[in-house]
Amino acid sequence: SQQGEEDPQALSIQEGENATMNCSYKTSINNLQWYRQNSGRGLVHLILIRSNEREKHSGRLRVTLDTSKKSSSLLITASRAADTASYFCATDTGRRALTFGSGTRLQVQP
Amino acid sequence: EAQVTQNPRYLITVTGKKLTVTCSQNMNHEYMSWYRQDPGLGLRQIYYSMNVEVTDKGDVPEGYKVSRKEKRNFPLILESPSPNQTSLYFCASSPWYQETQYFGPGTRLLVL
């Protein structure tokens, strides 16, 4: 069964706008990770947030984690056309087996 | 260059014809894993390996085999492929001290 579910499934914005993607999960986790995938290519790790953290930043990325609601959000600020990709959250319950959601497809219009 | 490589990248085969997809990493990582990606389902883990000669089932292991005889290689074996194994397959690796994973470029498999 899927652990993470992303919302929305698809998002289209203009360059310069912010993009927010949400992820919900079902069981307790050690950490939650966000990955990016360009059109059928391999996934690239973006950011990891541990279960005892509430917010983390990396460049234009901001991730929040609410373990009481079992949810996380990924914010990309000042988006660029090159940010067009699919974004996946993945939960790690402690045995290194990442469980991925079905992803959010982000389209950034130039 | 540090990377995870997979071969072949694209494969068309017929039902029942045994095939192997190779995965190799040059980063001396202990952990390796195979995932399949299907539309609307995200990535699902097939098998993983914590180190040489140590493998375990993931969420969808049926119809697949793996082996880890060397640290750098983690081949995925489909002994008798079926059309429901048509998918995009990814290999990933990570060092023992790091939870994030490095993914290969993917292998697109079509079973007729």
Side-chain angles (χ1 to χ4, degrees):
Chain A
S1 63
Q2 285 176 257
Q3 168 76 312
E5 295 287 345
E6 285 93 342
D7 171 59
Q9 291 187 338
L11 180 61
S12 182
I13 59 174
Q14 297 294 317
E15 226 171 11
E17 295 181 337
N18 295 341
T20 299
M21 289 158 263
N22 302 297
C23 169
S24 60
Y25 58 91
K26 298 174 184 172
T27 64
S28 296
I29 61 172
N30 275 14
N31 64 73
L32 185 144
Q33 304 175 34
W34 286 90
Y35 286 80
R36 166 195 167 122
Q37 182 183 36
N38 284 68
S39 188
R41 302 177 72 97
L43 281 76
V44 175
H45 176 257
L46 294 176
I47 195 165
L48 178 152
I49 186 165
R50 300 191 184 283
S51 59
N52 61 353
E53 297 175 309
R54 291 297 168 259
E55 187 171 313
K56 203 161 183 180
H57 296 254
S58 177
R60 294 185 294 114
L61 305 180
R62 172 178 169 254
V63 169
T64 62
L65 179 64
D66 186 335
T67 52
S68 66
K69 294 181 179 178
K70 292 186 168 60
S71 67
S72 173
S73 68
L74 171 67
L75 169 67
I76 304 174
T77 60
S79 62
R80 306 165 181 167
D83 294 328
T84 294
S86 290
Y87 293 82
F88 295 86
C89 71
T91 51
D92 181 352
T93 57
R95 63 179 179 90
R96 286 291 188 99
L98 294 180
T99 302
F100 288 82
S102 53
T104 293
R105 293 187 309 279
L106 173 65
Q107 176 75 42
V108 181
Q109 307 285 353
Chain B
E1 179 188 354
Q3 59 183 346
V4 179
T5 57
Q6 295 179 227
N7 283 293
R9 295 288 315 279
Y10 304 91
L11 180 60
I12 301 174
T13 190
V14 295
T15 298
K17 186 176 181 182
K18 181 179 178 179
L19 66 93
T20 299
V21 183
T22 65
C23 172
S24 183
Q25 49 92 7
N26 61 0
M27 297 170 280
N28 202 36
H29 288 170
E30 287 75 20
Y31 179 88
M32 297 186 75
S33 180
W34 276 103
Y35 296 86
R36 62 177 287 174
Q37 184 178 26
D38 301 290
L41 294 177
L43 281 80
R44 294 177 292 167
Q45 190 183 52
I46 304 170
Y47 270 95
Y48 65 97
S49 169
M50 298 297 285
N51 213 325
V52 176
E53 302 291 3
V54 181
T55 63
D56 208 347
K57 296 177 181 178
D59 295 322
V60 288
E62 295 77 20
Y64 304 95
K65 283 177 58 177
V66 293
S67 68
R68 187 91 182 273
K69 294 185 171 58
E70 304 167 283
K71 196 172 186 179
R72 64 184 293 127
N73 296 323
F74 191 43
L76 179 69
I77 302 156
L78 285 72
E79 297 252 336
S80 184
S82 62
N84 65 11
Q85 292 178 298
T86 291
S87 188
L88 179 57
Y89 291 86
F90 289 101
C91 180
S93 72
S94 68
W96 66 269
Y97 54 84
Q98 186 175 321
E99 295 105 326
T100 61
Q101 295 184 20
Y102 297 81
F103 282 80
T107 294
R108 193 168 290 279
L109 172 65
L110 173 61
V111 183
L112 300 174

